Coordinates of all heavy atoms in Angstrom, one line a residue:
L30 N -5.8 46.7 -241.5 CA -6.7 45.6 -241.5 C -6.5 44.7 -242.7 O -7.1 43.6 -242.7 CB -8.2 46.2 -241.6 CG -8.7 46.8 -240.3 CD1 -10.0 47.5 -240.6 CD2 -8.8 45.8 -239.2
L31 N -5.6 45.1 -243.6 CA -5.3 44.2 -244.8 C -4.9 42.8 -244.4 O -5.5 41.8 -245.0 CB -4.3 44.9 -245.7 CG -4.0 44.2 -247.0 CD1 -5.3 44.1 -247.8 CD2 -2.9 44.9 -247.8
P32 N -4.0 42.6 -243.5 CA -3.6 41.2 -243.2 C -4.8 40.4 -242.7 O -5.0 39.2 -243.0 CB -2.6 41.3 -242.0 CG -2.0 42.7 -242.3 CD -3.1 43.5 -242.8
Y33 N -5.7 41.0 -241.8 CA -6.9 40.3 -241.3 C -7.8 39.8 -242.5 O -8.2 38.7 -242.5 CB -7.6 41.2 -240.4 CG -9.0 40.7 -240.0 CD1 -9.2 39.8 -239.0 CD2 -10.1 41.2 -240.6 CE1 -10.4 39.3 -238.6 CE2 -11.4 40.8 -240.3 CZ -11.5 39.9 -239.3 OH -12.8 39.4 -238.9
F34 N -8.0 40.8 -243.4 CA -8.9 40.4 -244.5 C -8.3 39.4 -245.5 O -9.0 38.6 -246.1 CB -9.4 41.7 -245.2 CG -10.4 42.4 -244.5 CD1 -10.1 43.6 -243.9 CD2 -11.7 41.9 -244.4 CE1 -11.1 44.3 -243.2 CE2 -12.7 42.6 -243.7 CZ -12.4 43.8 -243.1
L35 N -7.0 39.5 -245.6 CA -6.3 38.5 -246.5 C -6.5 37.1 -245.9 O -6.7 36.1 -246.6 CB -4.8 38.8 -246.6 CG -4.5 40.0 -247.5 CD1 -3.0 40.3 -247.4 CD2 -4.9 39.7 -248.9
I36 N -6.4 37.0 -244.6 CA -6.6 35.7 -243.9 C -8.1 35.2 -244.1 O -8.4 34.1 -244.4 CB -6.3 35.7 -242.4 CG1 -4.8 35.9 -242.2 CG2 -6.8 34.5 -241.7 CD1 -4.4 36.3 -240.8
K37 N -9.0 36.2 -243.9 CA -10.4 35.9 -244.1 C -10.7 35.5 -245.5 O -11.5 34.6 -245.8 CB -11.3 37.1 -243.7 CG -11.4 37.4 -242.2 CD -12.3 36.4 -241.6 CE -12.6 36.7 -240.2 NZ -13.5 35.6 -239.5
M38 N -10.1 36.1 -246.5 CA -10.3 35.8 -247.9 C -9.8 34.4 -248.2 O -10.4 33.7 -249.0 CB -9.6 36.8 -248.8 CG -10.3 38.2 -248.9 SD -9.2 39.4 -249.6 CE -8.9 38.7 -251.2
A39 N -8.8 34.0 -247.5 CA -8.2 32.6 -247.7 C -9.1 31.5 -247.1 O -9.1 30.4 -247.5 CB -6.8 32.6 -247.2
T40 N -9.9 31.9 -246.1 CA -10.6 30.9 -245.3 C -12.1 30.9 -245.5 O -12.8 30.0 -245.2 CB -10.3 31.0 -243.8 OG1 -10.6 32.3 -243.4 CG2 -8.8 30.7 -243.5
A41 N -12.6 32.1 -246.0 CA -14.1 32.2 -246.2 C -14.4 32.8 -247.5 O -13.9 33.9 -247.8 CB -14.7 33.1 -245.0
S42 N -15.2 32.1 -248.3 CA -15.5 32.6 -249.7 C -16.2 33.9 -249.7 O -16.0 34.7 -250.7 CB -16.3 31.5 -250.4 OG -17.5 31.3 -249.8
K43 N -17.0 34.2 -248.7 CA -17.8 35.4 -248.8 C -16.9 36.7 -248.8 O -17.3 37.7 -249.3 CB -18.8 35.5 -247.6 CG -18.2 35.8 -246.3 CD -19.3 36.1 -245.3 CE -18.7 36.5 -243.9 NZ -19.8 36.9 -243.0
Y44 N -15.7 36.6 -248.2 CA -14.8 37.7 -248.2 C -14.1 37.9 -249.6 O -13.5 38.9 -249.8 CB -13.8 37.6 -247.1 CG -14.4 37.8 -245.7 CD1 -14.8 36.7 -245.0 CD2 -14.5 39.1 -245.2 CE1 -15.4 36.9 -243.7 CE2 -15.0 39.3 -243.9 CZ -15.5 38.2 -243.2 OH -16.0 38.4 -242.0
R45 N -14.2 36.9 -250.4 CA -13.5 37.0 -251.7 C -14.5 37.5 -252.8 O -14.0 37.9 -253.9 CB -13.0 35.6 -252.2 CG -11.9 35.0 -251.3 CD -11.3 33.8 -251.9 NE -12.1 32.7 -252.0 CZ -12.3 31.8 -251.0 NH1 -11.6 31.9 -249.9 NH2 -13.1 30.7 -251.2
E46 N -15.7 37.6 -252.5 CA -16.7 38.0 -253.5 C -16.6 39.5 -253.7 O -16.6 40.3 -252.8 CB -18.1 37.6 -253.1 CG -18.4 36.1 -253.1 CD -19.8 35.8 -252.8 OE1 -20.7 36.5 -253.3 OE2 -20.1 34.7 -252.2
G47 N -16.6 39.9 -255.0 CA -16.7 41.3 -255.3 C -15.5 42.2 -255.0 O -15.6 43.4 -254.9
I48 N -14.3 41.6 -254.8 CA -13.1 42.3 -254.3 C -12.8 43.5 -255.3 O -12.6 44.6 -254.8 CB -11.9 41.4 -254.1 CG1 -12.1 40.5 -252.9 CG2 -10.6 42.2 -253.9 CD1 -12.2 41.3 -251.6
P49 N -12.7 43.3 -256.6 CA -12.4 44.4 -257.5 C -13.4 45.5 -257.4 O -13.0 46.7 -257.4 CB -12.4 43.8 -258.9 CG -12.1 42.3 -258.7 CD -12.8 42.0 -257.4
E50 N -14.7 45.2 -257.3 CA -15.8 46.2 -257.2 C -15.6 47.0 -255.9 O -15.9 48.2 -255.9 CB -17.1 45.5 -257.3 CG -17.4 44.9 -258.6 CD -18.7 44.2 -258.7 OE1 -19.4 44.1 -257.7 OE2 -19.1 43.7 -259.8
R51 N -15.2 46.4 -254.8 CA -15.0 47.1 -253.6 C -13.9 48.1 -253.7 O -13.9 49.1 -252.8 CB -14.7 46.1 -252.4 CG -15.9 45.1 -252.2 CD -15.6 44.2 -251.0 NE -16.5 43.1 -250.9 CZ -17.7 43.0 -250.4 NH1 -18.2 44.1 -249.9 NH2 -18.3 41.9 -250.4
F52 N -13.1 48.0 -254.6 CA -12.0 49.0 -254.9 C -12.3 49.9 -256.1 O -11.5 50.6 -256.6 CB -10.7 48.4 -255.0 CG -10.1 47.9 -253.7 CD1 -10.3 46.6 -253.3 CD2 -9.4 48.7 -252.8 CE1 -9.8 46.1 -252.1 CE2 -8.9 48.3 -251.6 CZ -9.1 47.0 -251.2
G53 N -13.6 49.8 -256.6 CA -14.0 50.7 -257.6 C -13.9 50.2 -259.0 O -14.2 50.9 -260.0
F54 N -13.4 48.9 -259.2 CA -13.2 48.3 -260.5 C -14.4 47.5 -260.9 O -14.4 46.3 -260.6 CB -11.9 47.5 -260.5 CG -10.7 48.3 -260.3 CD1 -10.1 48.4 -259.0 CD2 -10.1 49.1 -261.3 CE1 -9.0 49.2 -258.7 CE2 -8.9 49.8 -261.0 CZ -8.4 49.9 -259.8
V55 N -15.3 48.1 -261.6 CA -16.6 47.4 -262.0 C -16.5 47.1 -263.5 O -16.1 48.0 -264.3 CB -17.8 48.3 -261.7 CG1 -19.1 47.7 -262.2 CG2 -17.9 48.7 -260.2
D56 N -16.8 45.9 -263.8 CA -16.8 45.5 -265.2 C -17.7 46.4 -266.0 O -18.9 46.5 -265.7 CB -17.2 44.0 -265.3 CG -17.0 43.4 -266.7 OD1 -17.1 44.2 -267.7 OD2 -16.8 42.2 -266.8
K57 N -17.2 47.0 -267.1 CA -18.0 47.9 -267.9 C -19.2 47.2 -268.5 O -20.3 47.9 -268.7 CB -17.1 48.5 -269.0 CG -16.1 49.5 -268.5 CD -15.3 50.0 -269.7 CE -14.2 51.0 -269.2 NZ -13.3 51.5 -270.3
R58 N -19.2 45.9 -268.7 CA -20.3 45.2 -269.3 C -21.5 45.3 -268.3 O -22.6 45.2 -268.7 CB -19.9 43.8 -269.6 CG -19.0 43.7 -270.8 CD -18.5 42.2 -270.9 NE -17.6 41.8 -269.8 CZ -17.0 40.7 -269.7 NH1 -17.2 39.8 -270.7 NH2 -16.3 40.4 -268.7
K59 N -21.2 45.3 -267.0 CA -22.3 45.4 -266.0 C -23.1 46.7 -266.1 O -24.3 46.8 -265.8 CB -21.7 45.3 -264.6 CG -21.6 43.9 -264.1 CD -21.4 43.9 -262.6 CE -21.4 42.5 -262.0 NZ -21.3 42.5 -260.5
L60 N -22.4 47.8 -266.5 CA -23.0 49.1 -266.5 C -23.6 49.5 -267.8 O -24.2 50.5 -267.9 CB -21.9 50.1 -266.1 CG -21.2 49.9 -264.8 CD1 -20.1 51.0 -264.6 CD2 -22.2 49.9 -263.6
R61 N -23.5 48.6 -268.8 CA -24.1 48.9 -270.1 C -25.6 49.1 -270.0 O -26.2 49.9 -270.8 CB -23.8 47.8 -271.1 CG -22.3 47.8 -271.7 CD -22.1 46.7 -272.6 NE -20.7 46.6 -273.0 CZ -20.1 45.5 -273.5 NH1 -20.8 44.4 -273.7 NH2 -18.8 45.6 -273.8
A62 N -26.2 48.3 -269.2 CA -27.7 48.4 -269.0 C -28.2 49.7 -268.5 O -29.4 50.0 -268.5 CB -28.2 47.2 -268.1
L63 N -27.2 50.5 -268.0 CA -27.6 51.8 -267.4 C -27.7 52.9 -268.4 O -28.1 54.0 -268.1 CB -26.6 52.2 -266.3 CG -26.4 51.2 -265.2 CD1 -25.3 51.8 -264.2 CD2 -27.7 51.0 -264.4
R64 N -27.3 52.6 -269.7 CA -27.3 53.6 -270.7 C -28.8 54.0 -271.0 O -29.7 53.3 -270.9 CB -26.6 53.1 -272.0 CG -25.1 52.8 -271.8 CD -24.6 52.2 -273.0 NE -23.2 51.8 -272.8 CZ -22.5 51.1 -273.7 NH1 -23.1 50.6 -274.8 NH2 -21.2 50.8 -273.5
K65 N -28.9 55.2 -271.6 CA -30.2 55.7 -272.1 C -31.3 55.7 -271.0 O -32.4 55.2 -271.2 CB -30.7 54.9 -273.3 CG -29.7 54.9 -274.5 CD -30.2 54.1 -275.6 CE -29.3 54.1 -276.8 NZ -29.7 53.3 -277.9
G66 N -30.9 56.3 -269.9 CA -31.9 56.4 -268.8 C -31.3 57.2 -267.7 O -30.1 57.5 -267.6
K67 N -32.2 57.6 -266.8 CA -31.7 58.3 -265.5 C -31.3 57.2 -264.5 O -32.2 56.4 -264.1 CB -32.9 59.2 -265.0 CG -33.0 60.5 -265.6 CD -33.7 61.5 -264.7 CE -33.5 62.9 -265.2 NZ -33.9 63.9 -264.2
V68 N -30.1 57.3 -264.1 CA -29.6 56.3 -263.2 C -29.8 56.7 -261.7 O -29.5 57.8 -261.3 CB -28.1 56.1 -263.4 CG1 -27.5 55.1 -262.4 CG2 -27.8 55.6 -264.8
V69 N -30.5 55.8 -261.0 CA -30.6 55.9 -259.6 C -29.8 54.8 -258.9 O -30.0 53.6 -259.1 CB -32.1 55.7 -259.2 CG1 -32.3 55.8 -257.6 CG2 -33.0 56.8 -259.8
W70 N -28.8 55.3 -258.2 CA -27.9 54.3 -257.4 C -28.5 54.1 -256.1 O -28.6 55.1 -255.3 CB -26.5 54.9 -257.4 CG -25.5 54.0 -256.7 CD1 -25.7 52.8 -256.0 CD2 -24.1 54.2 -256.6 NE1 -24.5 52.3 -255.6 CE2 -23.5 53.1 -255.9 CE3 -23.2 55.2 -257.1 CZ2 -22.1 53.0 -255.7 CZ3 -21.8 55.1 -256.9 CH2 -21.3 54.0 -256.2
V71 N -28.9 52.9 -255.8 CA -29.5 52.5 -254.5 C -28.5 51.6 -253.7 O -28.1 50.6 -254.3 CB -30.8 51.8 -254.7 CG1 -31.5 51.5 -253.4 CG2 -31.8 52.7 -255.5
H72 N -28.2 52.0 -252.5 CA -27.3 51.2 -251.7 C -28.0 50.7 -250.4 O -28.6 51.4 -249.7 CB -26.1 52.0 -251.3 CG -25.2 51.2 -250.4 ND1 -24.6 50.0 -250.7 CD2 -24.7 51.5 -249.1 CE1 -23.9 49.6 -249.7 NE2 -24.0 50.4 -248.7
A73 N -27.9 49.3 -250.3 CA -28.5 48.7 -249.1 C -27.5 47.7 -248.6 O -26.9 46.9 -249.3 CB -29.8 47.9 -249.5
V74 N -27.2 47.8 -247.3 CA -26.0 47.0 -246.8 C -26.2 45.5 -246.9 O -25.3 44.8 -247.3 CB -25.7 47.4 -245.3 CG1 -26.8 47.1 -244.4 CG2 -24.4 46.8 -244.8
S75 N -27.4 45.0 -246.6 CA -27.6 43.5 -246.5 C -29.0 43.1 -246.9 O -29.7 43.9 -247.5 CB -27.2 43.0 -245.2 OG -27.0 41.6 -245.2
V76 N -29.4 42.0 -246.4 CA -30.7 41.4 -246.8 C -31.9 42.2 -246.4 O -32.8 42.5 -247.2 CB -30.8 39.9 -246.2 CG1 -32.2 39.3 -246.5 CG2 -29.7 39.0 -246.7
G77 N -32.0 42.6 -245.1 CA -33.2 43.3 -244.6 C -33.4 44.6 -245.3 O -34.5 44.9 -245.7
E78 N -32.3 45.3 -245.5 CA -32.4 46.6 -246.2 C -32.8 46.5 -247.6 O -33.6 47.3 -248.2 CB -31.1 47.4 -246.1 CG -30.7 47.8 -244.6 CD -30.1 46.7 -243.8 OE1 -29.8 45.6 -244.4 OE2 -29.8 46.9 -242.6
T79 N -32.3 45.4 -248.3 CA -32.6 45.1 -249.7 C -34.1 44.8 -249.8 O -34.8 45.4 -250.7 CB -31.8 43.9 -250.2 OG1 -30.4 44.3 -250.1 CG2 -32.2 43.6 -251.6
K80 N -34.6 44.0 -249.0 CA -36.0 43.6 -249.0 C -36.9 44.8 -248.8 O -38.0 45.0 -249.4 CB -36.3 42.5 -248.1 CG -35.8 41.1 -248.5 CD -36.2 40.0 -247.5 CE -35.8 38.7 -248.0 NZ -36.3 37.6 -247.1
A81 N -36.5 45.7 -247.9 CA -37.3 46.8 -247.5 C -37.4 47.8 -248.6 O -38.5 48.4 -248.8 CB -36.6 47.5 -246.3
V82 N -36.4 48.0 -249.4 CA -36.4 49.1 -250.4 C -36.9 48.6 -251.8 O -37.4 49.4 -252.6 CB -35.0 49.7 -250.6 CG1 -34.1 48.8 -251.5 CG2 -35.1 51.1 -251.2
L83 N -37.0 47.3 -252.0 CA -37.5 46.8 -253.4 C -38.9 47.3 -253.7 O -39.1 47.7 -254.9 CB -37.4 45.3 -253.4 CG -35.9 44.7 -253.6 CD1 -35.9 43.2 -253.6 CD2 -35.2 45.3 -254.8
P84 N -39.8 47.3 -252.8 CA -41.2 47.8 -253.1 C -41.2 49.3 -253.6 O -41.9 49.6 -254.5 CB -42.0 47.6 -251.8 CG -41.3 46.5 -251.1 CD -39.9 46.7 -251.4
V85 N -40.3 50.1 -253.0 CA -40.1 51.5 -253.5 C -39.7 51.5 -254.9 O -40.2 52.3 -255.7 CB -39.1 52.2 -252.6 CG1 -38.9 53.7 -253.1 CG2 -39.6 52.2 -251.1
L86 N -38.7 50.7 -255.2 CA -38.1 50.7 -256.6 C -39.2 50.2 -257.6 O -39.2 50.7 -258.7 CB -36.9 49.8 -256.6 CG -35.8 50.2 -255.7 CD1 -34.5 49.4 -255.9 CD2 -35.5 51.7 -255.8
R87 N -40.0 49.3 -257.2 CA -41.1 48.8 -258.1 C -42.0 50.0 -258.5 O -42.4 50.1 -259.6 CB -41.9 47.6 -257.5 CG -41.1 46.4 -257.4 CD -42.0 45.2 -257.0 NE -41.1 44.0 -256.9 CZ -40.6 43.6 -255.7 NH1 -40.9 44.2 -254.6 NH2 -39.9 42.5 -255.6
I88 N -42.4 50.7 -257.4 CA -43.3 51.9 -257.7 C -42.6 52.9 -258.5 O -43.2 53.4 -259.5 CB -43.7 52.5 -256.3 CG1 -44.5 51.6 -255.5 CG2 -44.5 53.8 -256.5 CD1 -44.7 52.0 -254.0
L89 N -41.3 53.2 -258.2 CA -40.6 54.2 -259.0 C -40.4 53.8 -260.4 O -40.6 54.6 -261.3 CB -39.2 54.4 -258.3 CG -38.4 55.6 -258.8 CD1 -39.1 56.9 -258.5 CD2 -37.0 55.5 -258.1
K90 N -40.1 52.6 -260.7 CA -39.9 52.1 -262.1 C -41.3 52.0 -262.9 O -41.3 52.2 -264.1 CB -39.2 50.8 -262.2 CG -37.7 50.9 -261.8 CD -36.8 49.9 -262.4 CE -36.5 50.1 -263.8 NZ -35.4 49.3 -264.4
R91 N -42.3 51.7 -262.1 CA -43.6 51.7 -262.8 C -44.0 53.1 -263.2 O -44.6 53.3 -264.3 CB -44.7 51.2 -261.8 CG -46.1 51.0 -262.5 CD -47.0 50.3 -261.5 NE -47.4 51.1 -260.4 CZ -47.1 50.7 -259.1 NH1 -46.4 49.6 -258.9 NH2 -47.4 51.5 -258.1
R92 N -43.7 54.1 -262.4 CA -44.0 55.5 -262.7 C -43.0 56.1 -263.7 O -43.4 56.9 -264.5 CB -44.0 56.4 -261.5 CG -45.1 56.0 -260.4 CD -44.9 56.9 -259.2 NE -45.8 56.6 -258.2 CZ -45.8 57.2 -257.0 NH1 -44.8 58.2 -256.8 NH2 -46.6 56.9 -256.0
R93 N -41.8 55.7 -263.6 CA -40.7 56.3 -264.4 C -40.0 55.2 -265.1 O -38.9 54.7 -264.7 CB -39.7 57.1 -263.5 CG -40.3 58.3 -262.9 CD -40.5 59.4 -263.9 NE -39.3 59.7 -264.6 CZ -38.5 60.7 -264.2 NH1 -38.8 61.5 -263.1 NH2 -37.3 61.0 -264.8
P94 N -40.5 54.7 -266.3 CA -39.8 53.6 -267.0 C -38.4 54.0 -267.5 O -37.6 53.1 -267.8 CB -40.8 53.4 -268.2 CG -42.1 53.9 -267.8 CD -41.8 55.1 -266.9
D95 N -38.1 55.3 -267.5 CA -36.8 55.7 -268.0 C -35.7 55.5 -267.0 O -34.5 55.6 -267.3 CB -36.9 57.2 -268.4 CG -37.2 58.1 -267.2 OD1 -38.2 57.8 -266.5 OD2 -36.6 59.1 -267.0
V96 N -36.1 55.2 -265.7 CA -35.2 55.1 -264.6 C -34.4 53.8 -264.7 O -35.0 52.7 -265.0 CB -35.9 55.2 -263.3 CG1 -35.0 54.7 -262.1 CG2 -36.2 56.7 -263.0
K97 N -33.1 53.8 -264.5 CA -32.3 52.6 -264.5 C -31.7 52.5 -263.1 O -31.2 53.5 -262.5 CB -31.1 52.7 -265.5 CG -31.5 52.9 -266.9 CD -32.2 51.7 -267.5 CE -32.6 51.9 -269.0 NZ -33.2 50.7 -269.5
I98 N -31.8 51.3 -262.5 CA -31.4 51.1 -261.1 C -30.0 50.4 -261.1 O -29.8 49.3 -261.6 CB -32.4 50.2 -260.4 CG1 -33.8 50.8 -260.4 CG2 -31.9 50.0 -258.9 CD1 -33.9 52.1 -259.7
L99 N -29.1 51.1 -260.5 CA -27.8 50.5 -260.1 C -27.9 50.2 -258.6 O -28.2 51.1 -257.8 CB -26.6 51.5 -260.3 CG -25.3 51.2 -259.7 CD1 -24.7 49.9 -260.3 CD2 -24.3 52.3 -259.8
F100 N -27.8 49.0 -258.2 CA -28.0 48.5 -256.9 C -26.7 48.0 -256.3 O -26.0 47.2 -256.9 CB -29.1 47.4 -256.8 CG -29.7 47.3 -255.5 CD1 -30.9 47.9 -255.2 CD2 -29.2 46.5 -254.5 CE1 -31.6 47.7 -254.0 CE2 -29.8 46.3 -253.3 CZ -31.0 46.9 -253.0
S101 N -26.4 48.4 -255.1 CA -25.1 47.9 -254.4 C -25.5 47.4 -253.0 O -26.4 47.9 -252.4 CB -24.1 49.0 -254.4 OG -24.5 50.1 -253.6
T102 N -24.7 46.4 -252.6 CA -24.8 45.9 -251.2 C -23.3 45.7 -250.7 O -22.4 45.8 -251.4 CB -25.5 44.5 -251.2 OG1 -24.6 43.5 -251.8 CG2 -26.8 44.5 -251.9

Side-chain angles (χ1 to χ4, degrees):
L30 290 170
L31 184 60
Y33 169 80
F34 283 109
L35 288 173
I36 293 169
K37 284 289 187 181
M38 286 166 59
T40 57
S42 61
K43 73 171 186 175
Y44 287 93
R45 295 192 291 272
E46 292 187 35
I48 290 296
E50 294 177 356
R51 296 184 197 274
F52 286 94
F54 297 96
V55 178
D56 190 329
K57 291 180 180 178
R58 290 171 294 183
K59 272 194 174 185
L60 303 181
R61 283 177 189 163
L63 302 178
R64 295 174 184 170
K65 298 180 181 178
K67 278 204 165 190
V68 176
V69 177
W70 183 350
V71 181
H72 175 56
V74 64
S75 193
V76 175
E78 295 81 6
T79 297
K80 289 185 174 184
V82 79
L83 286 178
V85 178
L86 303 186
R87 289 190 184 95
I88 295 168
L89 192 61
K90 289 205 79 166
R91 186 173 66 243
R92 295 178 183 175
R93 294 287 302 266
D95 61 314
V96 163
K97 302 293 184 180
I98 303 294
L99 169 63
F100 201 96
S101 62
T102 70

